[in-house]
Amino acid sequence: MAETAKKADALPAQEVVVQTGNEIAATAAKQINYHIMGYYPITPSTEIAETLDAMKAEGEHDVRMIPGDGEHGAAGICYGATTAGGRVFNATSANGLLFAFEQLPVQSGTRFPMVFNIVTRSVSGPLDIRGDHSDIMLAMNTGWIILMASDVQAVYDMNLIAPRIGEDMAVRLPVMVAFDGFFTSHQKRRVEIFSDPQVVRDFLGPFVPTVTSVDPRKPVTIGPYMNDPDLINNKKQQADAMVRADAVIKKVFAEYAKLSGREVPVVELYRMEDAEAALFILNSAAETAMEAVDSLRNQGKKVGLIRPNVIRPFPLKEIREALKKVKGLVVADRQDNYGAYGGAMTIEVKAALQGVKGNNTQVAGRIYGIGGKEFFVEDAEAMLSEALEIAHTGEVKVPYDYFGADPGEKGYVPPKAFDPITAEQATGLIRIETTPEGKIDVKGVNLRALTGRPKRVSSGHGACPGCGIFVNLNTFLKGIEGFVTVLFHTGCGMVVTTGYPYTSHKVTYIHNLFQNGAATLSGVVEMFEERKKRGEIPKEEKITFLMVTGDGGHDIGLGPSVGAAMRNSRMIIIEYDNQGYQNTGFQLSFTVPIGHATSTSNYGPHQKGKSTHHKDTAQIFSACNLPYLFTAAESNPRDMIRKAAKAQKYADEGMVFGKLISMCPLAWRTEERISVPIIQAAVDSCFFPLYEVEHGITTINYDPEEKGRKVPVTEWIKQMGKTKHMLKPDCKDVLDSFQAEVDRRWLRLKEMHKNPLL
Amino acid sequence: MTQSKTPGKLPVKNSLGFFEIRMESIGGLGANVAGKILTEAAILGMGLNGAGFASYGSEKKGTPVKAFVRVCEGGHKVRVNSPVEEPHVLAIFHEALANTVPVTAGAKPGKTTVILNTRKTCAQAREFLKLEGGRVGAVDAMEIAMATGSRVNMVMMGAIAKASGFFEWKALEDAIREAFGKKYPALMKGNLGALKRGYDEVKFEEFPADGKYPATPFHREVPRLGYENAPIGGTIYSAGNMRFKDLSTSRTGMIPLFILDNCTRCGECDITCPDYCFVWERGKDPKTGKDGMVLLGINYQYCKGCLRCTHICKFDALVPTKEAEQDMDKITVKHKFLK
């Protein structure tokens, strides 16, 4: 839908669209037509890849979308792709950036330009998905150029500008474009874009590689080991490039302004001409602060606002110039440098002013808006008033402080919700007996009696209606006697059970990072055992340690889980496989079967859902010498409970792994109330066979063939909206491939069942 | 789509130049999409400027969500990003929300039109919402949605457009077509039908600020645990305190009704309920007299109405029923969480 903007005839045509920051970033990437996007989903940047994938399914661009195993992997994909000589794009936020972090200095140090959109979000510890600048500010010293996009229009403009700057032969550095998570990424705004993508591509010109890893006629060594006489020179080259970037940025900004009719200053100066006091602030909050400047100006106060659009290289000259007549300055940082007595911008501005002879600007730093805390016009007015006070008194009473933190309600004690579950309450329902042949027999698996098992997770959690995770968790835990301590990977299970200050965990619960749950829990287990050894904890104390992860957590976290398996850590890992990164918006995970639709494997005229077969985590772990591993499903609850009891027993010996298939009505596009028939079909089609492996011996617990209940996979997929398209004629090859693979794995499993060596 | 010849003018604006709309809803009813459509209609179809966004967190289906729309005259910049606190139009998509969420916060008599998706009359809606005063709109969006084969959000959009007084029909239609028309062309007729009926059938009535109910100013959330009294590191000590939450607002009309006489106490419902609503106790079986676990009933504070249990129960002891036909206080059985 377009409204033709009335511009001078010399300028190329533009049209008006209404898009969010994420959507417009995808639009820009589409128009640029990057060769590759390596990516991994994380809120709030997920929609960039999702939008591009949906566009790809419709044939709107040629960007090759490559899902990483995690952000570190995605960044590696991008690095490799840039060495092979093409234009590359990535997008992430917060912990995604942190997970990719060690790739960043390599990208800049070995001089391979690319564009990385950072949708700013709070860095974990504790986890907060909303927007602040704690992530982007950590990237300040990675050697990347950093452009700040303060609103949705700027996201588009900066994304078009970024490749030109980075690819300039005087620069050859990678570029970040940072815009605020949720405030900019998720707000629909009016944006002007070029109607013809060719205009964009002409502006950028073709990508000119200086070196490529895919020209055998010009063999090169990329990324050698470099020792001390040489590294300093490499770094000086890099530093000089960053200094040269300053002029290149100005040049490209000016060219873009000519092309678009929109001025892009290196530093936005709002009503600064005669300002005696000012606020220095970035991105979306700066927009709000402009209203405050206007409001105070209407009262005759001489205030202004400084908002850099570039922070690396730091625009020293422009900022020194802007502050010449300013006597009082408040620098507002949407992150803190803990122990530096100021956030990143405060430190850099103060450093900039140190170089000014006769500097009259007194600076106070304020930490605001952390974790997405809303920033209001009144807040900016308060900061400007502080700046005015500094200007008038010549004194900075409080050089460093938090703005907007709440002390809490005096005397408030959160009410008690439960008495801790005692050992007696949680014991006595399940008994393990070992037969003379050495087989483990589980007694007490009676669903009615087991309603007496105290629930380790309380009612009140915020899962979607019909969520399979909590059915699986509850059913599994019915088989576990005694004390339990749980650890969750980031994911739906974690998010809906622990929104501060609430928790639905009645037992001790730990959440660390998205991917290192098994490592973390190993640490807990080892510490527990060592403390018992030292007499700090009674030796009789028994806790079952249980890690809960989604299939998503086992894409990004497979390494640490295999590591825990290699250490044979005495704990149980259960993976609820709901086939996708549901918490972040239903993106594909590697367990998603071929052909299935997700938000990053759309079905359309040019794409038929996921292009690769599903990962088999159970078989990966079966190669790890575990004492016990199993699969289970809610269609067979007694089988699951029995396996839980066995898992508890085997966890005394070493690591146990269990894989559970888990309903997600929202992503699978099914009715909430219908669950067992769908799961039963997944089991009966042998897509999700029920089996266990005890000390390497595989036993199929339920053989649908024997029972005359085996069905083709169509019986399962026809029940779900995410797979209905696979029944269409254009997907026949995909469906056949899926059925063949399911059959192949089932046949292999049957051989393993028959042969004790397999 | 052609641009509106005369860029639109707004009938009323706040001090920053905006006409503001706030939608109070739960995840799954389409309030977010409605906000986006209204925004697009205003910008692309009416020569106005604006912003559309939702409150975001870890919302899942059924959890409270707010959607916001800001509209200003073309050429006016949108520089604020914060939620709409004092809307000109406040649309409540899900009646039950009013029991647990301060949905009418910021509504001002003389400024705000409050629209409720309800079967109640405007006067009953006013009483139910305990509104200080002002213009109240009532529309049975659920019924119209079902009748037109559309969704609640389309009907509410029609009502919102009527209350706002400046949205143009063609702009809305084009924006709806842009949002769904390509992917679901068959639904266009139903959607436009729902939009029109919402517009035509919403009833308004004006109530003076007669002192019957107090004002409901908007309060920005202030956490009770802050930097002085929160345990360091964010650790939570009150294990399981999520049980204080009331999830009944996640329901959208249906509940499972427990018929004790048909229950065999097989325990399957306890396996299938994701929200652990079933209240069991050790006691004497009502049929056999034997000692064992006995199902007392359902704690509807936590029931999200997924109806899994009604599908699982082989004995017709759990039957899908319309919530509106039940006295929830009477049929709910509370857990005994603390001794």
Side-chain angles (χ1 to χ4, degrees):
Chain A
M1 299 292 120
E3 158 203 305
T4 315
K6 291 181 177 66
K7 303 268 181 213
D9 287 310
L11 295 179
Q14 294 188 55
E15 58 192 56
V16 172
V17 296
V18 177
Q19 294 190 9
T20 64
N22 279 346
E23 289 168 345
I24 208 71
T27 300
K30 168 183 99 159
Q31 290 190 330
I32 293 168
N33 207 32
Y34 285 96
H35 291 81
I36 302 274
M37 180 183 188
Y39 71 93
Y40 191 80
I42 183 169
T43 306
S45 51
T46 53
E47 293 166 332
I48 298 176
E50 284 171 33
T51 308
L52 278 168
D53 189 85
M55 290 168 169
K56 185 109 198 255
E58 298 295 321
E60 292 176 32
H61 64 77
D62 303 312
V63 180
R64 194 175 279 235
M65 308 289 294
I66 309 173
D69 53 287
E71 288 89 348
H72 189 267
I77 291 168
C78 288
Y79 181 73
T82 55
T83 68
R87 217 166 245 150
V88 176
F89 181 66
N90 192 354
T92 195
S93 309
N95 281 59
L97 181 64
L98 263 55
F99 194 31
F101 212 77
E102 71 165 337
Q103 183 66 73
L104 305 178
V106 178
Q107 192 83 43
S108 55
T110 57
R111 309 295 292 280
F112 287 101
M114 61 169 280
V115 175
F116 205 168
N117 274 223
I118 308 301
V119 184
T120 67
R121 158 184 155 173
S122 204
V123 160
S124 284
L127 185 148
D128 182 331
I129 60 166
R130 295 185 42 81
D132 66 25
H133 295 160
S134 52
D135 53 5
I136 190 64
M137 291 309 165
L138 289 175
M140 292 276 275
N141 301 332
T142 54
W144 286 57
I145 291 168
I146 303 177
L147 308 178
M148 303 300 281
S150 62
D151 65 12
V152 180
Q153 180 70 62
V155 174
Y156 179 75
D157 295 335
M158 290 302 188
N159 263 295
L160 266 48
I161 287 167
R164 268 289 295 272
I165 295 170
E167 292 167 26
D168 191 295
M169 285 304 165
V171 177
R172 300 312 281 188
L173 287 173
V175 183
M176 284 179 187
V177 175
F179 55 98
D180 289 354
F182 294 111
F183 302 116
T184 307
S185 65
H186 282 63
Q187 293 209 8
K188 285 265 192 192
R189 296 292 180 94
R190 180 188 183 280
V191 193
E192 290 173 10
I193 65 170
F194 294 107
S195 302
D196 183 1
Q198 196 56 45
V199 169
V200 173
R201 286 172 222 150
D202 289 343
F203 175 70
L204 295 182
F207 183 82
V208 180
T210 47
V211 60
T212 134
S213 56
V214 293
D215 187 353
R217 288 157 207 83
K218 291 197 183 119
V220 286
T221 293
I222 298 167
Y225 153 57
M226 185 183 276
N227 228 332
D228 45 283
D230 304 302
L231 191 68
I232 192 169
N233 305 323
N234 168 281
K235 291 305 147 200
K236 179 158 172 34
Q237 285 181 324
Q238 189 183 331
D240 289 347
M242 187 62 93
V243 169
R244 288 194 300 270
D246 193 81
V248 172
I249 288 168
K250 287 187 185 55
K251 181 185 78 174
V252 177
F253 277 18
E255 280 185 41
Y256 187 80
K258 269 228 203 80
L259 189 73
S260 65
R262 286 185 293 280
E263 285 299 321
V264 186
V266 170
V267 176
E268 172 80 33
L269 299 171
Y270 188 71
R271 306 187 82 163
M272 284 298 296
E273 304 77 29
D274 62 341
E276 55 173 348
L279 177 61
F280 181 113
I281 188 169
L282 297 168
N283 275 5
S284 66
E287 300 295 303
T288 304
M290 288 177 185
E291 296 285 353
V293 169
D294 285 347
S295 143
L296 289 177
R297 278 277 178 181
N298 286 342
Q299 298 166 37
K301 307 215 164 113
K302 294 212 174 89
V303 295
L305 180 131
I306 300 170
R307 189 203 74 219
N309 293 324
V310 182
I311 54 173
R312 275 291 180 266
F314 198 67
L316 282 177
K317 188 163 153 282
E318 286 80 4
I319 285 166
R320 284 169 175 162
E321 190 65 40
L323 292 174
K324 262 207 175 105
K325 291 186 241 154
V326 173
K327 300 214 191 69
L329 178 70
V330 167
V331 178
D333 281 296
R334 206 161 199 163
Q335 51 76 240
D336 195 3
N337 280 7
Y338 311 111
Y341 302 101
M345 290 297 102
T346 298
I347 307 291
E348 302 239 350
V349 168
K350 285 183 173 181
L353 289 170
Q354 164 60 257
V356 176
K357 223 178 162 83
N359 164 49
N360 273 325
T361 317
Q362 301 276 65
V363 181
R366 292 291 175 267
I367 311 294
Y368 79 99
I370 300 289
K373 188 159 182 144
E374 297 287 350
F375 186 67
F376 298 97
V377 177
E378 310 86 87
D379 298 332
E381 284 174 357
M383 290 178 177
L384 284 162
S385 302
E386 278 202 74
L388 275 167
E389 210 199 307
I390 296 169
H392 295 158
T393 62
E395 206 189 307
V396 181
K397 290 208 191 85
V398 183
Y400 160 67
D401 203 5
Y402 273 59
F403 181 96
D406 298 304
E409 196 182 299
K410 208 176 166 116
Y412 171 67
V413 175
K416 181 185 205 181
F418 289 97
D419 292 310
I421 301 169
T422 63
E424 294 71 41
Q425 285 170 330
T427 317
L429 284 166
I430 297 274
R431 279 174 347 269
I432 300 273
E433 285 171 11
T434 316
T435 69
E437 298 83 42
K439 283 201 78 184
I440 293 182
D441 210 2
V442 180
K443 301 274 188 227
V445 182
N446 175 300
L447 295 191
R448 180 177 179 176
L450 285 168
T451 62
R453 171 81 74 207
K455 303 229 168 19
R456 273 70 167 232
V457 176
S458 79
S459 300
H461 63 74
C464 300
C467 175
I469 296 172
F470 293 90
V471 177
N472 277 317
L473 211 51
N474 180 35
T475 308
F476 182 82
L477 285 168
K478 282 180 194 267
I480 305 283
E481 295 265 296
F483 290 133
V484 185
T485 286
V486 299
L487 176 141
F488 275 50
H489 265 169
T490 316
C492 276
M494 160 260 169
V495 154
V496 304
T497 55
T498 58
Y500 192 84
Y502 293 103
T503 176
S504 64
H505 295 280
K506 292 163 67 180
V507 299
T508 293
Y509 158 100
I510 304 164
H511 166 254
N512 184 11
L513 297 171
F514 188 9
Q515 73 281 51
N516 67 355
T520 308
L521 196 59
S522 289
V524 176
V525 172
E526 300 290 336
M527 176 60 88
F528 176 67
E529 292 174 0
E530 183 60 28
R531 290 186 68 203
K532 280 209 283 192
K533 191 153 165 241
R534 295 185 188 197
E536 292 170 25
I537 295 175
K539 289 205 168 39
E540 323 76 65
E541 183 86 309
K542 164 113 174 85
I543 302 177
T544 300
F545 293 96
L546 175 68
M547 169 173 143
V548 178
T549 178
D551 50 302
H554 256 171
D555 273 354
I556 195 170
L558 195 61
S561 286
V562 170
M566 294 298 104
R567 289 190 297 273
N568 214 14
S569 293
R570 279 170 286 277
M571 61 198 219
I572 305 169
I573 299 181
I574 56 173
E575 174 190 314
Y576 59 81
D577 183 4
N578 54 17
Q579 307 199 327
Y581 302 153
Q582 314 306 21
N583 182 44
T584 43
F586 328 120
Q587 297 90 22
L588 74 82
S589 81
F590 292 135
T591 62
V592 171
I594 197 168
H596 289 222
T598 67
S599 63
T600 44
S601 65
N602 283 285
Y603 166 72
H606 295 259
Q607 198 168 277
K608 294 190 216 168
K610 186 162 176 273
S611 58
T612 50
H613 284 299
H614 56 290
K615 179 167 103 183
D616 192 337
T617 343
Q619 285 300 307
I620 291 173
F621 281 105
S622 88
C624 291
N625 285 326
L626 300 181
Y628 185 58
L629 73 95
F630 65 91
T631 64
E634 65 165 287
S635 53
N636 302 64
R638 289 167 194 77
D639 177 71
M640 189 188 294
I641 294 168
R642 193 177 51 80
K643 284 165 170 167
K646 287 175 82 166
Q648 181 166 43
K649 172 123 178 60
Y650 279 113
D652 285 339
E653 207 185 304
M655 198 181 107
V656 172
F657 174 74
K659 188 172 163 87
L660 315 173
I661 182 169
S662 190
M663 278 303 297
C664 176
L666 208 51
W668 294 16
R669 297 183 230 154
T670 59
E671 255 188 83
E672 290 152 2
R673 69 190 172 91
I674 301 177
S675 174
V676 168
I678 297 171
I679 299 292
Q680 191 70 61
V683 172
D684 285 341
S685 66
C686 300
F687 165 76
F688 194 88
L690 299 179
Y691 66 97
E692 55 193 336
V693 183
E694 282 170 279
H695 293 127
I697 309 286
T698 300
T699 307
I700 294 175
N701 306 113
Y702 165 68
D703 185 337
E705 273 176 338
E706 259 179 31
K707 298 266 192 292
R709 307 230 333 232
K710 187 172 192 291
V711 294
V713 292
T714 43
E715 285 305 299
W716 174 43
I717 65 175
K718 77 178 190 195
Q719 297 187 61
M720 304 182 292
K722 69 156 173 159
T723 40
K724 277 216 158 79
H725 60 276
M726 288 174 73
L727 302 169
K728 292 185 177 174
D730 69 335
C731 287
K732 185 176 186 304
D733 55 337
V734 177
L735 179 59
D736 289 346
S737 177
F738 182 38
Q739 181 69 67
E741 182 62 12
V742 167
D743 290 340
R744 186 188 73 83
R745 296 188 195 188
W746 171 242
L747 289 172
R748 274 186 87 231
L749 190 68
K750 285 203 290 187
E751 293 305 312
M752 291 181 217
H753 174 89
K754 286 187 228 159
N755 188 337
L757 284 176
L758 295 178
Chain B
M1 185 195 337
T2 51
Q3 182 189 357
S4 189
K5 288 283 184 287
T6 324
K9 286 265 169 227
L10 295 171
V12 62
K13 299 179 279 200
N14 66 14
S15 59
L16 289 176
F18 298 109
F19 184 95
E20 296 185 328
I21 301 167
R22 185 170 90 220
M23 288 167 267
E24 298 274 352
S25 186
I26 55 171
L29 293 183
N32 186 17
V33 168
K36 293 182 172 182
I37 290 173
L38 287 166
T39 307
E40 202 167 297
I43 295 175
L44 293 180
M46 294 156 59
L48 297 165
N49 198 2
F53 57 109
S55 64
Y56 270 101
S58 53
E59 279 86 11
K60 299 284 173 238
K61 188 171 179 189
T63 54
V65 75
K66 296 183 207 297
F68 310 105
V69 178
R70 290 199 157 93
V71 186
C72 56
E73 274 145 28
H76 186 90
K77 281 188 141 207
V78 182
R79 298 192 292 199
V80 289
N81 307 283
S82 46
V84 170
E85 298 184 338
E86 291 181 2
H88 296 94
V89 177
L90 173 60
I92 303 165
F93 279 43
H94 188 56
E95 212 173 322
L97 266 179
N99 297 323
T100 50
V101 174
V103 289
T104 56
K108 285 190 137 160
K111 176 179 177 177
T112 313
T113 301
V114 179
I115 304 171
L116 185 65
N117 167 18
T118 183
R119 291 199 168 156
K120 295 178 168 70
T121 63
C122 292
Q124 291 165 337
R126 189 258 174 141
E127 295 302 314
F128 171 71
L129 293 171
K130 299 196 178 52
L131 265 177
E132 186 191 1
R135 191 161 78 134
V136 174
V139 61
D140 191 349
M142 184 61 92
E143 196 266 308
I144 295 172
M146 293 207 300
T148 52
S150 181
R151 296 180 71 203
V152 163
N153 63 351
M154 290 291 134
V155 184
M156 293 302 277
M157 264 205 291
I160 291 168
K162 181 77 166 283
S164 308
F166 62 88
F167 278 96
E168 289 169 26
W169 179 260
K170 175 125 198 340
L172 288 168
E173 195 182 319
D174 287 342
I176 292 171
R177 188 163 285 116
E178 180 67 22
F180 309 121
K182 275 181 268 176
K183 262 200 154 170
Y184 311 107
L187 296 178
M188 271 308 288
K189 186 155 174 276
N191 285 340
L192 294 179
L195 183 78
K196 182 149 201 323
R197 282 192 61 182
Y199 188 94
D200 290 339
E201 293 174 37
V202 61
K203 305 238 175 320
F204 293 107
E205 206 177 313
E206 190 83 42
F207 299 94
D210 52 13
K212 187 161 189 196
Y213 298 107
T216 52
F218 189 92
H219 287 298
R220 290 176 192 162
E221 194 203 332
V222 180
R224 302 186 80 177
L225 290 172
Y227 60 81
E228 303 252 301
N229 63 352
I232 58 170
T235 305
I236 301 172
Y237 287 92
S238 6
N241 64 354
M242 227 176 236
R243 70 112 164 141
F244 293 123
K245 290 197 169 204
D246 184 342
L247 304 181
S248 54
T249 49
S250 297
R251 296 197 289 265
T252 48
M254 300 295 286
I255 56 159
L257 187 66
F258 176 53
I259 319 265
L260 175 63
D261 286 344
N262 295 347
C263 178
T264 63
R265 289 152 286 281
C266 68
E268 296 262 2
C269 52
D270 199 62
I271 290 277
T272 206
C273 177
D275 295 286
Y276 316 146
C277 301
F278 290 94
V279 185
W280 292 78
E281 224 175 54
R282 174 146 241 109
K284 294 228 177 304
D285 187 295
K287 290 219 171 93
T288 67
K290 280 202 196 145
D291 196 51
M293 294 306 292
V294 177
L295 177 59
L296 300 179
I298 296 172
N299 189 342
Y300 290 99
Q301 177 181 338
Y302 305 117
C303 177
K304 292 172 183 156
C306 74
L307 303 179
R308 264 183 173 247
C309 54
T310 64
H311 202 254
I312 275 275
C313 180
K314 298 183 188 66
F315 304 102
D316 295 319
L318 292 160
V319 176
T321 312
K322 285 199 178 135
E323 180 167 355
E325 292 169 4
Q326 296 298 323
D327 183 343
M328 298 309 292
D329 287 334
K330 212 160 166 216
I331 63 173
T332 206
V333 174
K334 290 284 181 193
H335 287 91
K336 290 195 190 78
F337 285 134
L338 284 173
K339 300 265 180 310

